[in-house]
């Protein structure tokens, strides 16, 4: 089992940047593909970005492509979501998740694929 703790959220203005971090503990970090999801008030949780165990494969939701960058440092057991050019529609609670059943360079977007979740960090973008 792996424990995940997100940090880096906050209140920013439109066009600003934030970097979210997700620190893992408990197991071998490179055993897990990692992802970020988000949930806005009154809406379902949605996929944001995912990264393979190797760090060599990433995937992004169309809504964040070109603005967000996901990376991982397996030695530090941390994933980072760099969010640039933030928009009001990016306002949500952001959740880090870990998938233990994927191959070295593979990732999945489905919520149900992820086995472990953090508590979330709030991102609010004001116009």
């Amino acid at each position: 089992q792996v424990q995940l703790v997100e940090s880096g959220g906050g209140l920013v203005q439109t066009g600003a940047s934030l970097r979210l971090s997700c620190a893992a503990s408990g197991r071998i970090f490179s055993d897990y593909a990692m992802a970020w999801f988000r949930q806005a008030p009154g809406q379902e949780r949605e996929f944001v970005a995912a990264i393979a165990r190797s760090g060599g494969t990433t995937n992004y939701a169309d809504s964040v492509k070109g603005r967000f960058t996901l990376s991982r440092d397996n030695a530090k057991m941390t994933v980072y979501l760099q969010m640039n050019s933030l928009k009001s529609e990016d306002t949500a609670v952001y959740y880090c998740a870990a998938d233990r059943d994927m191959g070295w360079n593979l990732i999945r977007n489905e919520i149900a694929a992820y086995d472990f979740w953090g508590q979330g960090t709030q991102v609010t973008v004001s116009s």
Side-chain angles (χ1 to χ4, degrees), residues 15-117:
S17 298
L18 278 176
R19 189 177 79 157
L20 304 184
S21 298
C22 173
S25 62
R27 292 297 301 269
I28 300 173
F29 185 61
S30 59
D31 283 351
Y32 299 88
M34 301 295 295
W36 287 90
F37 293 80
R38 67 186 182 186
Q39 187 166 18
Q43 298 188 22
E44 294 185 350
R45 193 169 297 189
E46 65 175 7
F47 171 77
V48 175
I51 188 166
R53 292 165 58 196
S54 66
T57 303
T58 54
N59 191 28
Y60 298 91
D62 288 343
S63 59
V64 307
K65 202 170 293 184
R67 299 188 298 122
F68 290 11
T69 302
L70 181 58
S71 61
R72 68 187 294 162
D73 186 331
N74 284 343
K76 294 183 178 179
M77 297 180 66
T78 302
V79 291
Y80 305 98
L81 184 66
Q82 178 66 43
M83 305 188 296
N84 298 329
S85 302
L86 283 162
K87 305 175 181 180
S88 57
E89 51 262 45
D90 295 319
T91 296
V93 178
Y94 283 70
Y95 296 92
C96 177
D99 179 355
R100 65 186 170 189
D101 295 323
M102 289 305 293
W104 184 240
N105 285 311
L106 301 177
I107 47 178
R108 292 184 282 193
N109 298 354
E110 299 81 10
I111 291 175
Y114 289 81
D115 307 287
F116 304 102
W117 293 80

